[in-house]
Amino acid sequence: MYAIVEINGQQFKAEAGKKLFVHHIQNTENGATVEFDKVLLVDKDGNITIGAPTVEGAKVVCEVKSPLVKGDKVIVFKKKRRKGYRVKNGHRQQFTELTVKEVIA
């Protein structure tokens, strides 16, 4: 059984026991339980339910494993040739690590 759930504007495939890295969720603690009710699709043993826009009564229960995980560094380098213009910036996205405990449908 799995579900497609929307978390912070992104869609994830959630199965029991699966680990998810989502965009940083404010005000969460390590070990806290978080519920998401924007479930777009549920597959229960081949029986697929598609929401319009969400599935009624369905939710995904997750546990916060780590509230702040830093992603890989991305280098943003801009240059205009023959103009002496060079700018180098870096960015590290912040994520929250979740473990899916159960999918309720």
Side-chain angles (χ1 to χ4, degrees):
M1 180 172 164
Y2 73 88
I4 304 296
V5 63
E6 184 177 331
I7 303 171
N8 287 344
Q10 290 187 317
Q11 296 177 8
F12 295 94
K13 181 178 178 181
E15 294 180 85
K18 189 175 178 184
K19 195 183 297 186
L20 299 175
F21 288 93
V22 300
H23 285 300
H24 183 62
I25 301 173
Q26 298 289 332
N27 303 325
T28 56
E29 296 178 0
N30 196 5
T33 302
V34 183
E35 294 181 357
F36 301 103
D37 56 353
K38 275 193 166 182
V39 178
L40 307 174
L41 179 138
V42 175
D43 183 1
K44 193 180 227 182
D45 300 326
N47 185 12
I48 297 174
T49 306
I50 299 174
T54 60
V55 178
E56 293 293 326
K59 64 181 176 179
V60 176
V61 180
C62 299
E63 180 182 356
V64 177
K65 286 294 181 188
S66 178
L68 183 63
V69 178
K70 290 187 177 181
D72 294 335
K73 180 171 267 195
V74 177
I75 302 298
V76 180
F77 185 75
K78 299 177 182 178
K79 179 181 177 181
K80 294 183 181 176
R81 62 184 194 160
R82 296 187 299 269
K83 305 296 181 199
Y85 173 77
R86 295 192 311 177
V87 175
K88 181 179 177 184
N89 282 321
H91 176 75
R92 287 186 78 175
Q93 185 67 39
Q94 295 180 342
F95 295 104
T96 298
E97 182 180 354
L98 302 174
T99 301
V100 179
K101 289 170 63 174
E102 61 179 331
V103 177
I104 300 171

